[in-house]
Amino acid sequence: MSFDLHRPATVTEAIDLAQRLSPTARYIAGGTDTIIQINRKKIDPAHLIDVTCLPGMSGITETADGFGLGALTNYRAIETHPAFRGGLRALIEAASVVGGRQVRNIATIAGNIVNASPAADFVPALLALDAVLDIAGPAGRRAVALRDFIVGPGKTDLAPAEIVTGVRFARLPANSATAFLKEGRRRAMEISVVCVAACLTLDADGSRCTSVRLAIGAAGPKALRPQKAEAYLIGQTAAQSTFAAAGQLAAEACAPISDVRASADYRRRLVAIVVERALTTCLERIAEERR
Amino acid sequence: MTRKILNIIVNGESHQVPIELHWTLLQVLRNEIGMMGTKENCLEAECGVCTVLLDGRAVNSCILLAGQVEGRSITTIEGIGNPEHLHPLQETFIECGAVQCGYCIPGMILTAKSFLDENPGCRPTRDEIREALAGTLCRCTGYRKIVDAVAAAVERMSISGQHQ
Amino acid sequence: MSVPNYRVAGRRLARIDGVGKVTGKHVYAADFKLPGMLYGKVLRSSRAHALIKKVDTSRAASIPGVRGIITSADIPAVRYGQAVRDTTVFALDRVLFTGHAIAAVAATSLEAAERALAAIEVEYEDLPGLFDPEAALDSNVRIHPDWESYKALPIIARHGNISGRSRIRVGDVEATFAEAYRIYEHRFTTALVHPGYTEPRVATADWDASGNVTVWCNTQLPFDTQNTLAEILDLPAARVRVSVPGIGGGFGGKLRIGVEHFAALLARKTARPVKVMSTSEEELTSALPRQASVVLLKTAVDKDGHLLARSGKIIVDCGACAGSGPGTAAISLQVMAGPYRTGALELEGIAVYTNKVPSGSFRAPAGPMANFAMECQMDMIAKDLGLDPLEIRLRNIVRDGDAGPSGEIHKSVSIEECLRKAADAIGWHDRNPEPGRGKGIACSWWMTTGGSSGVYVKINPDGTATLVSGAVEIGTGAITGAAQILAEELSLDLTDINVTGVDTQVAPFDYGAQGSRTTFSVGNACLAAAADLRRQMFELAAKQLDAPVDGMVLRDKHVVAGSKSISIAELARISRLAGGGLIAHGTAISPAPPYDPTRTENHPLPAWNSPSYHAHAVDLSVDQATGKVTINRYVVAQDVGFAINPTYIEGQIEGGVAQGIGQALSEEIAYQDGRVMNANLTDYKMPTAMDVPDIESIIVECRSAAGPYGAKGVGEPPCIQPPAAIGNAIAAATGCWPRSLPMTAEKISAALRAERT
């Protein structure tokens, strides 16, 4: 592999460089996807633009409305963030299974999102929180919902030279919990065979579902919010039977492929099982919180 | 290809190394600075034998571009101890029989050190140790004695009251 | 059993190369470099089976930095190989598997070498590919059309796509089947798995002014590599020097030529040193993995579960070259017979060519494949007869003096002790069925490979001893073990033994770090050398002390004669000045035990030297919905004869079981239409630290007659039983009987669903 590496000092400089050097320039952050793809000859950029030193793209901030994650936040920072240990635990659970610790110490959330692997672990967790991405580019700044941002395997809504600067999501309402579960062929260092993030909100009694957000990874060309499954649960009793039914609906909504990791059929079955388990875990967490 | 001078601190020593911009930190450490203790294998961040500490935290040097760590501080296995003064982890890895072929050991020791340094004074469970080490593969030992060694190092470091 | 009072042997001492390895100072072949060295890379076929119409290197040759390119046209057409000499350095008129080497390039940088590879043009004409060994058996397509012209070991029986066929026949199986109480017939399949060493295969070669070549590499068999290189280079072996600076794991995957020949040929072509290192992708497509296999087993029993007769056939997929396929197919027969008394046997092992990667001798070749079939069937038989799986085994195991499958006599038999200890440790009699949780047991026996070893030992004037051996320390601690034996015999400490590096120019011959033989064989050679050194020291001391040799002993680094003594160091100093020094050599060879040749046919390894016995027991849980397996506990009881260093024996057990768990549950080099689909470590799933529980080792010591202090081979056995033990536990947990490796969650969940319908 052979390329030039540029290290701009500001976001404006970075965007400028990207425009000038396009089309064979790419942004690089932790490199945990980019360098591997270059080595495997999947991409061959002549220029890499290092964004790891750009200001204003780091840190986890908390406001009255919700949370903001700088684009350069690495997975280790997420999995050790105290504020995510409660209702937002899915973020920690998803972050903690991205590669091994070495990868998590440098891989960034934005890099992972923009890489848009259908099997990305953190994307479903953010999708289940209706995350919004902040983007800067030649035409200025804009925001786009994560669910509209990823359009297919390796493909996003980014225009040339645009760069993701941050991710944000709203606080959870009361009586809510999240959970993230992953199935793979071994317990660590694994690309998901299927992964599921769930965000459940119950009514004041803690018995009926008032809001359900499910996100399924590795079971289609991009992470999916299964709308029928979500809609079905609204107003239903939060129980094993309804969760199982929702799991079936989610499985039907998926379009998994067969590959060396698993067959499409097995993935679909796993979706049903894991959706049910993720929702059950949310229910247990809400109950525990209420005690 | 244009060469640039990379300023980098390795094991406390400053280096100015002419590099090609596509070189990884692993290539610079082994080929330019002569730190052969950091090993090469998969070159895809899947096996961990290339692990070094970047500002004290374990990273895979095989996918980190050297140009991206300008001015930063790197610790390799050579930097944590030597035959006359072994780091507690180096001592316990020998004592517990955790070393067989040894090829993964520099990376494994640094992965462990990064973990222990994050929470000085804590006593991790064996499961927590396993989780922390999961990014470094060993094919020889089955991991049991490696976990023994890390647990023993925790005890030794807390007894000596210091964290190196 | 009385335990002798050993000072050094038998103790948990730190390995002698530990400090170098934990400080990063230990030099591995991957670290070795020479000034002015070029980087070599190999162009490999992208087709599985095709004629080569054209290879055009002209564009590649003009790429800046390229210093030399070689193809089959540039080298003599030599065929090499252990059992069958069918392998060539480069593909000749055709490629036989995806990954087959076609050309090699040396350049001033890796990037230039890669650009050169991309610029070499190859024109192929596809041939029909044979990827299934059973299809290859029946096919008219010949993967080696000239197979008849190949030389092979006389013992090997070959024909067409069969690269080796061995048989063991005892008694009358058909007649026994006719009268049996029950007969069980099953088919099992196992997958291709990679040894998974963390240091890729690598070699650096340099020619000197006299036309001799030195290769620094990570081979497990430096003398075999030396011989093969000599053939390829058309040189006398003495002109080829192989040196192993250090090796990051082997497990049998680094026995045979890997990249040494490319390095040597490129270095000769360019007149520069050349280093060639395999990539991860090359390791997973063009290395020497464990063969995939099909095992067909038919077993007859009486109503009490006694094994009356067994007929078995194993089809070993050896890939495009025979490699160790014929040997593996043969050894599988003894594994299939198991440590059991069986009235009649008709066992056949067939190694078949296919258009896939040539295979090798990964740890216990044939072991896990044949044992998986045999021990899973044992449990199926037990279940059908209503017998406890432990009990059925105890009813059938061999005892001291029983004849084995080839008519050899079982001695120092400990299989009952191993089974009972493993069963007790896992809590076998408390197998309360809890949904989804089960316990499984499996046992086996295995050889200690023979072969010869030589060592030189000299005593230094400071009282230390230097051990020169041709055996590579591949990580097992075997050389530390041999050094402990030497130290024991010379009344020295382990830290007094210096072991030199391995260099074929200097070291005596050693059959190699393979087959669980190193401590056994090098240890015996050390015993011989030590005996000679004792004699020399006593004779010299007799003069110095004016005392008779009779009654002299070595104690505390001194020769002691009654109330007089003289230090070993002093004797070494005196001897150096007066007589050339205290130096000795020792050799060892284990003669193969007698057996009955009428029982075996074309079997290259019919009788096992100093076999060991072992049993594994596992407690696991299966997620009834997803099929995922969680191993709760894993126990091994292994007879090691005498534990020279218990720490490293446990290390072999723990590591071998981890590899076995990988083979059992997740590892597979997955081929589709002749291409490997998972040629990277992302998708070749070896166990991480979170996938292996704390393996519990029970060391059993039933002394061998031939091993040093009664030791038996240790390294290979631990990876034999895991697939069977785990398979049996999965069956106990789910009621579903796995028949194919790996036993993935997907397969288990499918079997559970089928069971429910």
Side-chain angles (χ1 to χ4, degrees):
Chain A
M1 62 176 186
S2 193
F3 43 78
D4 268 334
L5 178 67
H6 308 264
R7 305 191 84 210
T10 65
V11 172
T12 312
E13 243 182 81
I15 293 169
D16 214 60
L17 258 180
Q19 281 188 287
R20 280 196 291 110
L21 299 170
S22 102
T24 59
R26 285 174 78 96
Y27 294 121
I28 182 170
T32 55
D33 288 316
T34 304
I35 298 298
I36 293 170
Q37 287 167 13
I38 293 174
N39 283 347
R40 290 190 187 174
K41 303 190 172 33
K42 299 234 163 32
I43 58 176
D44 186 21
H47 302 274
L48 290 180
I49 301 169
D50 180 13
V51 300
T52 55
C53 298
L54 295 181
M57 291 184 19
S58 301
I60 301 175
T61 51
E62 191 172 339
T63 66
D65 300 324
F67 290 87
L69 311 174
L72 297 175
T73 308
N74 66 49
Y75 287 104
R76 196 79 193 119
I78 305 232
E79 74 175 308
T80 55
H81 195 69
F84 296 156
R85 285 182 194 149
L88 291 167
R89 206 170 316 165
L91 292 172
I92 290 181
E93 289 169 332
S96 67
V97 295
V98 174
R101 284 213 181 178
Q102 293 94 314
V103 164
R104 298 201 287 280
N105 278 330
I106 53 170
T108 62
I109 58 172
N112 209 221
I113 292 169
V114 169
N115 186 54
S117 160
D121 292 314
F122 204 62
V123 168
L126 289 174
L127 207 53
L129 294 171
D130 283 315
V132 171
L133 305 181
D134 288 312
I135 296 170
R141 301 206 168 228
R142 65 185 181 104
V144 62
L146 178 59
R147 72 192 294 171
D148 299 324
F149 179 74
I150 295 177
V151 303
K155 291 191 166 52
T156 69
D157 182 55
L158 278 182
E162 278 191 320
I163 181 170
V164 174
T165 57
V167 182
R168 49 193 161 81
F169 52 86
R171 220 164 255 299
L172 292 178
N175 294 316
S176 297
T178 60
F180 173 88
L181 293 172
K182 170 176 183 163
E183 287 297 321
R185 293 155 300 162
R186 64 183 178 188
R187 284 169 163 69
M189 297 293 285
E190 179 63 311
I191 307 275
S192 285
V193 166
V194 153
C195 62
V196 171
C199 180
L200 179 66
T201 307
L202 302 180
D203 62 9
D205 293 333
S207 61
R208 291 191 180 276
C209 308
T210 58
S211 162
V212 177
R213 292 178 280 178
L214 299 166
I216 302 164
K222 54 181 206 157
L224 173 76
R225 291 275 301 266
Q227 295 177 325
K228 278 206 182 116
E230 292 180 350
Y232 159 76
L233 279 172
I234 306 299
Q236 296 276 7
T237 314
Q240 194 264 335
S241 55
T242 54
F243 291 162
Q248 286 304 327
L249 288 169
E252 283 157 28
C254 290
I257 55 165
S258 292
D259 64 10
V260 72
R261 296 169 193 153
S263 69
D265 183 62
Y266 181 59
R267 284 188 155 111
R268 211 182 283 279
R269 290 177 196 282
L270 281 181
V271 168
I273 295 163
V274 180
V275 163
E276 181 191 328
R277 289 181 181 179
L279 288 166
T280 305
T281 306
C282 287
L283 178 60
E284 285 162 6
R285 287 177 178 170
I286 294 171
E288 204 179 291
E289 193 58 34
R290 287 161 67 89
R291 277 201 275 279
Chain B
M1 274 278 114
T2 24
R3 290 223 174 179
K4 170 195 140 72
I5 303 292
L6 173 74
N7 294 289
I8 191 171
I9 302 162
V10 180
N11 300 330
E13 274 183 27
S14 290
H15 293 263
Q16 288 77 40
V17 189
I19 62 160
E20 299 204 359
L21 296 170
H22 60 266
W23 284 353
T24 61
L25 176 59
L26 179 64
Q27 287 172 307
V28 169
L29 286 171
R30 283 174 67 82
N31 302 340
E32 307 303 314
I33 299 182
M35 291 288 158
M36 305 305 287
T38 310
K39 302 304 178 192
E40 54 182 299
N41 180 33
C42 76
L43 305 180
E44 297 193 317
E46 287 286 352
C47 74
V49 301
C50 70
T51 301
V52 298
L53 303 182
L54 174 63
D55 298 331
R57 293 291 167 259
V59 295
N60 294 310
S61 62
C62 68
I63 47 132
L64 203 46
L65 293 177
Q68 288 186 287
V69 296
E70 165 77 31
R72 306 279 290 277
S73 178
I74 309 291
T75 310
T76 69
I77 189 71
E78 291 90 344
I80 70 160
N82 60 58
E84 284 74 49
H85 292 109
L86 295 174
H87 185 280
L89 278 165
Q90 290 169 316
E91 288 174 349
T92 59
F93 266 65
I94 295 174
E95 289 161 19
C96 294
V99 180
Q100 289 191 32
C101 86
Y103 200 70
C104 77
I105 292 300
M108 191 70 78
I109 287 178
L110 291 174
T111 308
K113 182 175 194 303
S114 174
F115 168 57
L116 297 185
D117 288 349
E118 274 184 344
N119 298 291
C122 280
R123 267 180 184 64
T125 63
R126 289 180 74 85
D127 280 344
E128 285 167 343
I129 293 172
R130 286 173 182 282
E131 198 266 320
L133 301 181
T136 304
L137 296 182
C138 174
R139 193 57 159 171
C140 290
T141 67
Y143 304 104
R144 176 171 182 162
K145 291 180 182 343
I146 289 175
V147 177
D148 290 346
V150 176
V154 170
E155 292 306 309
R156 189 160 305 184
M157 283 153 79
S158 74
I159 286 168
S160 70
Q162 59 174 277
H163 225 86
Q164 290 172 250
Chain C
M1 181 186 69
S2 68
V3 179
N5 197 10
Y6 292 130
R7 280 178 326 109
V8 181
R11 297 207 26 229
R12 292 178 180 271
L13 299 175
R15 60 186 303 137
I16 54 188
D17 52 1
V19 177
K21 288 176 174 177
V22 299
T23 53
K25 290 193 166 316
H26 186 96
V27 177
Y28 294 84
D31 302 324
F32 188 84
K33 45 192 177 183
L34 290 172
M37 156 180 111
L38 299 174
Y39 298 86
K41 293 217 61 101
V42 180
L43 178 70
R44 296 185 178 277
S45 161
S46 56
R47 307 292 173 93
H49 196 201
L51 296 172
I52 300 176
K53 305 305 284 180
K54 185 179 81 161
V55 179
D56 185 350
T57 60
S58 52
R59 266 185 46 220
S62 58
I63 286 179
V66 171
R67 295 286 178 265
I69 305 182
I70 49 174
T71 67
S72 60
D74 301 302
I75 61 176
V78 170
R79 286 198 182 271
Y80 58 93
Q82 317 91 262
V84 182
R85 299 162 77 79
D86 57 7
T87 312
T88 54
V89 175
F90 296 116
L92 298 181
D93 67 328
R94 66 191 63 201
V95 294
L96 300 178
F97 68 102
T98 309
H100 202 164
I102 295 175
V105 171
T108 51
S109 71
L110 272 177
E111 287 96 358
E114 277 163 11
R115 277 196 293 275
L117 287 191
I120 298 177
E121 286 158 32
V122 182
E123 216 175 278
Y124 300 98
E125 184 183 299
D126 283 320
L127 296 169
L130 285 177
F131 308 121
D132 177 81
E134 287 171 294
L137 270 178
D138 294 332
S139 173
N140 289 324
V141 173
R142 287 282 166 266
I143 291 172
H144 286 272
D146 298 330
W147 68 271
E148 276 174 294
S149 68
Y150 297 165
K151 296 193 173 53
L153 294 177
I155 192 88
I156 305 294
R158 319 174 283 133
H159 185 85
N161 289 333
I162 294 176
S163 64
R165 183 200 301 261
S166 304
R167 290 190 170 108
I168 290 182
R169 275 195 270 237
V170 182
D172 187 339
V173 157
E174 285 311 313
T176 317
F177 278 159
E179 294 171 2
Y181 174 70
R182 295 249 169 100
I183 295 177
Y184 301 87
E185 193 162 0
H186 297 100
R187 175 192 160 91
F188 300 86
T189 59
T190 71
L192 205 49
V193 290
H194 192 275
Y197 35 76
T198 53
E199 184 204 26
R201 293 167 304 153
V202 56
T204 305
D206 193 24
W207 292 77
D208 69 14
S210 317
N212 303 319
V213 66
T214 302
V215 182
W216 294 266
C217 60
N218 50 13
T219 175
Q220 294 176 243
L221 307 182
F223 290 93
D224 183 82
T225 299
Q226 178 192 38
N227 278 340
T228 310
L229 276 174
E231 288 172 33
I232 290 170
L233 299 169
D234 195 20
L235 285 178
R239 305 268 294 271
V240 177
R241 178 174 159 227
V242 175
S243 176
V244 181
I247 172 173
F251 315 115
K254 292 175 177 166
L255 299 187
R256 312 295 169 193
I257 284 272
V259 295
E260 292 87 346
H261 45 350
F262 301 126
L265 289 165
L266 285 169
R268 181 154 71 180
K269 173 89 181 193
T270 59
R272 299 263 294 266
V274 177
K275 181 173 185 176
V276 180
M277 181 143 73
S278 289
T279 62
S280 218
E281 186 183 348
E282 284 177 298
E283 285 296 336
L284 286 162
T285 55
S286 335
L288 293 166
R290 186 191 296 291
Q291 300 81 355
S293 72
V294 177
V295 187
L296 304 157
L297 210 51
K298 183 170 169 183
T299 303
V301 299
D302 69 13
K303 66 174 172 45
D304 296 316
H306 294 109
L307 300 173
L308 300 176
R310 170 168 282 158
S311 94
K313 177 154 135 178
I314 183 165
I315 299 164
V316 164
D317 181 348
C318 62
C321 299
S324 65
T328 300
I331 296 167
S332 71
L333 305 186
Q334 280 103 316
V335 180
M336 246 195 290
Y340 296 124
R341 296 169 161 168
T342 311
L345 289 172
E346 186 166 326
L347 306 174
E348 181 180 43
I350 305 175
V352 188
Y353 289 119
T354 59
N355 292 116
K356 306 211 290 289
V357 59
S359 56
S361 306
F362 181 8
R363 200 168 184 171
M369 302 113 86
N371 185 262
F372 173 63
M374 197 261 298
E375 284 292 89
C376 282
Q377 190 184 63
M378 265 315 238
D379 264 37
M380 293 182 204
I381 295 172
K383 176 89 193 210
D384 187 60
L385 294 177
L387 288 173
D388 176 336
L390 174 64
E391 179 57 32
I392 194 175
R393 288 172 169 83
L394 292 173
R395 287 184 189 182
N396 284 288
I397 48 175
V398 294
R399 317 271 167 201
D400 251 72
D402 280 351
S406 309
E408 72 277 58
I409 303 301
H410 281 275
K411 294 191 181 132
S412 307
V413 176
S414 59
I415 184 66
E416 180 173 355
E417 185 181 349
C418 292
L419 272 167
R420 289 197 188 279
K421 283 185 169 169
D424 280 344
I426 204 73
W428 187 253
H429 300 291
D430 177 25
R431 294 194 316 288
N432 285 330
E434 180 190 302
R437 186 165 180 160
K439 293 182 185 174
I441 200 161
C443 68
S444 187
W445 67 312
W446 187 254
M447 71 183 101
T448 305
T449 299
S452 62
S453 293
V455 298
Y456 305 136
V457 183
K458 61 174 182 171
I459 312 282
N460 303 306
D462 60 359
T464 62
T466 298
L467 168 61
V468 183
S469 152
V472 176
E473 169 55 71
I474 60 173
T476 60
I479 299 299
T480 294
Q484 281 178 257
I485 292 168
L486 185 63
E488 183 68 48
E489 293 293 307
L490 297 176
S491 81
L492 297 175
D493 294 325
L494 178 59
T495 46
D496 293 323
I497 311 295
N498 310 302
V499 181
T500 63
V502 176
D503 182 336
T504 56
Q505 195 170 67
V506 169
F509 176 78
D510 188 281
Y511 188 59
Q514 59 179 330
S516 310
R517 63 176 293 281
T518 308
T519 308
F520 186 102
S521 209
V522 179
N524 272 342
C526 284
L527 285 175
D532 190 355
L533 283 168
R534 263 200 308 275
R535 179 189 57 74
Q536 293 177 38
M537 287 193 278
F538 288 172
E539 281 171 13
L540 188 54
K543 295 199 193 84
Q544 298 297 315
L545 299 177
D546 192 28
V549 168
D550 279 353
M552 272 186 185
V553 294
L554 275 180
R555 195 191 309 135
D556 295 331
K557 313 188 192 190
H558 285 70
V559 173
V560 178
S563 57
K564 303 187 208 176
S565 70
I566 181 166
S567 74
I568 290 175
E570 181 63 19
L571 287 169
R573 279 194 291 275
I574 293 166
S575 172
R576 242 197 197 190
L577 295 170
L582 292 171
I583 41 180
H585 80 281
T587 57
I589 176 74
S590 313
Y595 70 102
D596 178 358
T598 65
R599 292 187 178 201
T600 64
E601 210 176 293
N602 299 108
H603 196 304
L605 236 166
W608 287 359
N609 170 44
S610 302
S612 59
Y613 304 86
H614 9 86
H616 293 205
V618 62
D619 170 346
L620 55 77
S621 301
V622 179
D623 182 317
Q624 304 277 68
T626 64
K628 187 198 237 101
V629 171
T630 302
I631 300 178
N632 303 314
R633 285 184 61 212
Y634 199 108
V635 175
V636 172
Q638 180 164 336
D639 172 14
V640 305
F642 172 77
I644 307 271
N645 189 321
T647 298
Y648 294 102
I649 284 170
E650 288 166 358
Q652 287 306 290
I653 292 173
E654 291 157 15
V657 169
Q659 289 178 354
I661 288 174
Q663 166 138 43
L665 297 177
S666 63
E667 290 182 43
E668 175 177 14
I669 296 177
Y671 267 91
Q672 196 177 91
D673 301 325
R675 306 193 73 82
V676 176
M677 304 308 292
N678 59 340
N680 53 62
L681 289 184
T682 308
D683 284 315
Y684 183 78
K685 317 285 345 183
M686 295 192 281
T688 67
M690 291 178 76
D691 296 297
V692 186
D694 283 340
I695 309 299
E696 302 163 49
S697 304
I698 299 168
I699 293 177
V700 170
E701 290 178 305
C702 183
R703 308 278 173 119
S704 73
Y709 303 153
K712 298 177 179 173
V714 172
E716 291 170 295
C719 75
I720 295 174
Q721 285 99 316
I726 289 171
N728 286 340
I730 288 172
T734 62
C736 304
W737 295 94
R739 311 241 176 118
S740 110
L741 296 181
M743 299 173 282
T744 60
E746 179 168 349
K747 284 181 185 169
I748 294 171
S749 94
L752 279 166
R753 276 200 319 279
E755 189 82 359
R756 284 195 276 265
T757 53

